[in-house]
Amino acid sequence: MSTVAPGFGWCTLPRIAQLYVTATVMAGAVALIALFPLTWPDPVLFPLLVIASCLTSTWKVNLPIPLASGSTLSVSYAADLTALLLLGAGPAVMVALAGAWTQCTFNVRQREPLYRTAFSLGAIAITMWATGLVYGFLGGTLAPQDFSGLPKPLLGAIGTYFVVNTGMIAVAIAFSTRQSAWKIWQRDFLWSGTSFVVAATAGAIAAIVIARGAHWHALLMIAPVYLIYRTYLTIIGRLEDQRRHLEETHRLHDEAVIALAQARKAELALTAEKERLAVTLRSIADGVIVTDAGGRLVLINNVAEEMTGWASDAAIGKPLGSVFHSVDPESRVRCDNSVAALTSAPPGSIRRSSLLLARDSTERRIEESAATLCDDHGHAIGMVLVFRDISDALKVIEERARANKLSALGLLAGGMANDFNNILTSIIGNVSMARTTMTDADPAAAALVEAQRACIRARQLTWQLLTFSKGGIPTRKTVELPLVLADAAATALRGTNLRYTLDIAQDLWTVDADESQLVQVFTNVLLNASEAMLHGGSIEIRAGNVVESEDRLEHALRVVPGRYVSVSVTDTGTGIPPEHLAKIFDPYFTTKNGGSGLGLATTHSIIKSHGGFVTVQSQAGIGTTMRISVPASAVDRIAEPWEPGLTSAKVLANARRSRRQRVLVMDDEPEIRRVTGSMLEFLGYQAEIAETGTVAVERFRQALEKGRPFDVVLLDLLVPGGMGGRETMDRLARLAPSVKAVLVSGYVQQSQMAEYRDYGFGAVITKPFTLDELSTTLRAVLAPTASRVH
């Protein structure tokens, strides 16, 4: 029997296998030396047995041993036992070695390594040595003539040969492959035990026949030996078939396991994909509804549930029209949401704006689109309907359009107001001078008083137009709203039959604002409230602190998160119709006879310039609440005290007492220069006129050189095409750093008007101005302190 598997080179063998092979070879060599025959009892029979052993060694089969293919099994042991019984252990070893060498070298699949051949020869030498010892120990004799006394030593010899030879090979395979030697022997060698006994018995019979002298009859024993060889072939074939079947079964099993694993993986992937789709649908901000080909719902996401008012459990399986009910926003005609209508259109063409009627009868503006679901053959199997709430988006669009409208109208109003300001300056200046020269008993004095009042009201109108135009740059200081609210309420509600209550929070924050503009804001709001309650009633004014956390738009005003002081004015009047609510801040919009429509437009513009916002709630026949919110001060500061100006009754007396102080007037409008000069002369000042900033600088320099400098300079802020007040002031300051100047402008919204001190001016006055205001301003700038006069 051949040994270790091919492919196991000596260097690749485990250490223990190398030691085992070495020990076997050495032990075989010892056995060969010990049993080597010194005499040859039958020189004819020995070579015949060698030939028989070599011949039967060619009758071999490859053992189906895992990791050891190439190991072979032959029937040469029949000749080996015949030699043992006839010639003894010494010659039998030589016969066995010849057969083993033939088995390892002739008709092999591939040439074996030298150590394997050496191992096979060593193993067979040890096997024959052990077999001979057992045979002799059990009483076996040479050349037996019959079977009397032969069965016991024969069976011992056969068993020893089988166990030792197959066992040594099993141990070698076990050491080489790190397997159990017992399991290898039991699985791969035990099956051949029966045929081994039969072939060995045939060899023993041949030995007895030869011992009796019937040499030719011994040839008949070749038949059973060859039969055993064929039996080996059949058994090995079946084992090969079983092995292939087992391998095929294992392969099919592995493929089945792989297929199951792939199916499981696909199932997990499908589950994960379904979960991702479900999470995606739940997280989409749009409503999504999926139907089958018959138009019945198969899926509805969370947003769609909320917008339609239908829960998923109740909606699934219902027709689309029962759950999704949309109408045309104008005609209120129901939209055709059938699958046939939505899927018959080209892809992407179904995109419309409609009004969604929810299950609880609430309505919301939506934008909807539909797409067809198709199978692999292009046949429609359902539909996906996607819709979103566009109410807020429409509100933003409307607010932006309104803001653009306000901006365009504001530019127009600002231009008209500035031109009107110049005309009104001449009128109000002349009227105030004429009024000052008359006594109260003069018949024309009353008419001039009324004319001056009308001019002042007209001036307020132009200021409202200019404030609406640009919002007005507020002159900010720390303002306490309770005083502002009390002043506005007293002004707006004087002479009415209305009651009002003030509910002011004790810890009300202060605001940084233009006090006069805030008075104007709350006066306008209270006037609107009083005009809505012609038959009497009450107005409730509340003020408190609020913190806004949401960034949004309110009537085209952005709400920035932060701290605000909120003032609400609630009336019990007729209320504002819903169709008018979005227009109340539009310029020139009014529902009152004789109204200008600028009050709330100006309020809106002023609140915008202060960084605040306005909200309105109204119900027809119940009343209106208008809430105005202004950013609170970052830190509390002490408000500047307010000092009233001189009354008109003292103007003339003050003017007569003043010395002839020199005043330089620079203005681009001839009429303004004329009337301002007249007013200054009337007040007792010596006036000199300059039409441009360049002329004013030159006259100021000449006056300095002559030693007759100007006491004060009036500079117009804007001079089209020329040097304005700010640039002129810079030149004058270089000539005389102590120059005193008043900034004059009809544009109350200019930032320079609020920051006049930063440019070196001692006071500011806004056109059109009265004689009283001009006198007060000049006295203020010539005094150590400065002020601002409207």
Side-chain angles (χ1 to χ4, degrees):
M1 181 174 290
S2 178
T3 59
V4 193
F8 283 87
W10 176 256
C11 295
T12 62
L13 288 178
R15 183 65 175 172
I16 189 172
Q18 292 178 345
L19 294 175
Y20 176 74
V21 170
T22 303
T24 301
V25 172
M26 293 178 65
V30 171
L32 177 60
I33 294 172
L35 297 176
F36 190 82
L38 298 177
T39 60
W40 303 95
D42 191 340
V44 177
L45 182 60
F46 175 75
L48 291 176
L49 290 175
V50 170
I51 294 172
S53 177
C54 292
L55 177 62
T56 54
S57 292
T58 61
W59 297 349
K60 57 186 177 182
V61 293
N62 290 299
L63 294 175
I65 301 175
L67 299 177
S69 58
S71 295
T72 57
L73 174 65
S74 69
V75 292
S76 62
Y77 49 81
D80 298 342
L81 286 177
T82 301
L84 177 65
L85 267 61
L86 292 176
L87 302 178
V93 168
M94 302 305 295
V95 171
L97 287 175
W101 180 79
T102 302
Q103 184 177 343
C104 292
T105 55
F106 285 92
N107 193 25
V108 294
R109 293 184 177 179
Q110 61 185 26
R111 182 173 295 277
E112 295 182 351
L114 181 60
Y115 81 89
R116 290 188 58 189
T117 302
F119 174 83
S120 297
L121 295 177
I124 198 64
I126 294 172
T127 300
M128 291 307 300
W129 176 62
T131 303
L133 288 178
V134 172
Y135 181 76
F137 178 77
L138 294 178
T141 60
L142 289 177
Q145 298 294 316
D146 52 34
F147 276 97
S148 60
L150 186 61
K152 181 177 179 180
L154 180 61
L155 289 177
I158 295 174
T160 301
Y161 190 103
F162 174 72
V163 172
V164 172
N165 187 250
T166 58
M168 292 180 70
I169 295 175
V171 171
I173 295 174
F175 284 157
S176 300
T177 59
R178 293 183 175 86
Q179 299 183 59
S180 170
W182 168 252
K183 290 184 178 179
I184 293 175
W185 185 81
Q186 187 180 31
R187 180 187 66 230
D188 298 326
F189 297 102
L190 184 59
W191 60 270
S192 63
T194 302
S195 57
F196 197 95
V197 172
V198 173
T201 302
I205 295 173
I208 294 173
V209 170
I210 293 173
R212 289 181 176 181
H215 295 79
W216 294 105
H217 293 166
L219 295 177
L220 297 176
M221 295 299 102
I222 294 177
V225 174
Y226 183 75
L227 179 62
I228 295 302
Y229 163 66
R230 299 302 301 179
T231 302
Y232 279 170
L233 289 177
T234 302
I235 294 174
I236 292 301
R238 292 182 178 177
L239 289 177
E240 286 290 340
D241 291 342
Q242 291 180 359
R243 182 184 60 80
R244 286 193 297 270
H245 177 72
L246 184 61
E247 290 177 352
E248 183 69 17
T249 302
H250 287 163
R251 185 183 64 80
L252 293 176
H253 175 266
D254 293 341
E255 291 179 353
V257 170
I258 293 174
L260 289 174
Q262 291 176 345
R264 178 59 178 167
K265 185 177 180 181
E267 181 182 359
L268 293 176
L270 181 59
T271 302
E273 184 66 20
K274 290 177 65 177
E275 180 63 21
R276 282 194 293 270
L277 289 175
V279 172
T280 302
L281 285 176
R282 287 196 297 269
S283 61
I284 287 177
D286 297 343
V288 179
I289 293 178
V290 181
T291 71
D292 57 16
R296 296 188 176 275
L297 269 70
V298 296
L299 185 146
I300 179 170
N301 73 342
N302 297 348
V303 177
E305 290 182 39
E306 180 183 354
M307 292 175 65
T308 61
W310 284 84
S312 177
D313 294 341
I316 298 300
K318 288 186 175 295
L320 177 62
S322 301
V323 176
F324 186 78
H325 186 190
S326 60
V327 299
D328 185 88
E330 302 297 334
S331 64
R332 308 287 294 189
V333 175
R334 184 162 184 170
C335 300
D336 187 359
N337 291 321
S338 64
V339 175
L342 295 176
T343 58
S344 60
S349 62
I350 300 298
R351 196 175 190 88
R352 62 193 179 195
S353 176
S354 60
L355 191 65
L356 177 64
L357 306 181
R359 193 177 188 183
D360 58 0
S361 299
T362 58
E363 301 179 355
R364 66 182 78 200
R365 287 291 297 274
I366 64 169
E367 183 182 68
E368 54 179 295
S369 60
T372 307
L373 292 175
C374 299
D375 58 16
D376 296 339
H377 304 289
H379 300 145
I381 59 173
M383 177 190 69
V384 177
L385 181 65
V386 181
F387 52 97
R388 67 177 61 184
D389 189 344
I390 59 172
S391 303
D392 292 339
L394 290 176
K395 183 179 179 181
V396 170
I397 293 173
E398 292 172 358
E399 294 289 355
R400 287 177 179 173
R402 183 172 174 275
N404 293 335
K405 178 182 177 183
L406 288 174
S407 177
L409 290 175
L411 291 175
L412 175 63
M416 294 172 57
N418 183 60
D419 294 338
F420 186 62
N421 251 348
N422 292 329
I423 300 172
L424 193 59
T425 300
S426 178
I427 296 173
I428 198 171
N430 287 303
V431 169
S432 60
M433 285 190 295
R435 170 67 185 88
T436 307
T437 60
M438 294 182 180
T439 64
D440 293 339
D442 194 317
L448 289 176
V449 169
E450 290 301 322
Q452 185 171 348
R453 288 177 180 173
C455 288
I456 292 173
R457 287 196 296 273
R459 180 178 69 178
Q460 293 291 339
L461 181 60
T462 61
W463 283 351
Q464 283 191 359
L465 284 170
L466 288 170
T467 301
F468 158 71
S469 159
K470 295 286 185 175
I473 303 299
T475 304
R476 296 178 184 271
K477 63 180 181 179
T478 300
V479 176
E480 296 181 2
L481 280 181
L483 300 178
V484 173
L485 294 174
D487 189 5
T491 301
L493 303 180
R494 182 182 295 117
T496 68
N497 60 347
L498 300 176
R499 302 182 307 276
Y500 72 90
T501 58
L502 279 173
D503 184 3
I504 309 295
Q506 294 296 323
D507 58 345
L508 192 68
W509 296 324
T510 58
V511 297
D512 292 335
D514 188 314
E515 184 173 358
S516 61
Q517 289 188 3
L518 287 188
V519 171
Q520 184 179 359
V521 165
F522 294 118
T523 299
N524 288 339
V525 173
L526 289 169
L527 283 174
N528 262 33
S530 65
E531 291 169 354
M533 296 187 294
L534 299 178
H535 303 291
S538 63
I539 297 176
E540 184 179 30
I541 305 172
R542 292 176 175 268
N545 303 324
V546 296
V547 177
E548 295 288 344
S549 59
E550 180 185 359
D551 192 343
R552 64 185 189 279
L553 286 175
E554 292 285 357
H555 292 282
L557 297 178
R558 180 165 296 281
V559 181
V560 179
R563 303 192 318 156
Y564 290 84
V565 176
S566 180
V567 178
S568 62
V569 178
T570 303
D571 64 58
T572 56
T574 57
I576 304 173
E579 62 271 18
H580 293 165
L581 194 59
K583 303 177 183 178
I584 60 174
F585 295 109
D586 290 352
Y588 314 117
F589 175 79
T590 180
T591 58
K592 300 185 288 289
N593 293 329
S596 66
L598 287 176
L600 290 182
T602 303
T603 295
H604 186 277
S605 186
I606 291 174
I607 295 302
K608 179 180 180 181
S609 69
H610 281 76
F613 62 94
V614 184
T615 59
V616 183
Q617 294 178 339
S618 183
Q619 287 184 298
I622 297 177
T624 301
T625 296
M626 186 171 294
R627 185 163 65 92
I628 298 169
S629 299
V630 182
S633 301
V635 293
D636 291 337
R637 296 189 297 271
I638 300 175
E640 298 179 4
W642 174 76
E643 296 181 3
L646 295 176
T647 61
S648 60
K650 300 178 182 178
V651 172
L652 188 57
N654 289 331
R656 299 296 184 230
R657 287 197 297 270
S658 63
R659 66 177 177 83
R660 295 281 289 178
Q661 294 172 309
R662 289 168 52 78
V663 181
L664 176 61
V665 179
M666 188 275 288
D667 197 293
D668 63 307
E669 291 287 340
E671 187 62 27
I672 300 298
R673 294 196 301 270
R674 188 195 65 77
V675 71
T676 304
S678 298
M679 294 171 73
L680 289 171
E681 294 290 340
F682 185 83
L683 291 173
Y685 296 94
Q686 182 181 351
E688 190 166 337
I689 306 301
E691 61 273 14
T692 66
T694 303
V695 174
V697 172
E698 179 61 24
R699 291 186 181 177
F700 188 86
R701 185 185 61 78
Q702 292 175 0
L704 287 177
E705 291 175 352
K706 293 177 181 180
R708 299 180 66 247
F710 290 101
D711 296 285
V712 66
V713 181
L714 299 180
L715 300 177
D716 191 15
L717 175 62
L718 297 178
V719 176
M723 187 166 57
R726 179 178 170 183
E727 294 83 0
T728 303
M729 183 61 190
D730 290 339
R731 299 264 187 103
L732 296 179
R734 287 197 290 270
L735 294 174
S738 60
V739 62
K740 295 183 178 180
V742 177
L743 182 62
V744 183
S745 178
Y747 289 93
V748 295
Q749 72 275 12
Q750 291 293 332
S751 61
Q752 291 92 331
M753 297 292 286
E755 302 166 356
Y756 62 94
R757 287 192 180 91
D758 297 339
Y759 306 115
F761 293 96
V764 62
I765 188 169
T766 305
K767 296 185 289 188
F769 45 82
T770 66
L771 191 65
D772 293 9
E773 293 166 347
L774 179 60
S775 176
T776 301
T777 302
L778 291 174
R779 290 173 62 84
V781 78
L782 291 170
T785 59
S787 63
R788 172 176 178 165
V789 178
H790 290 284

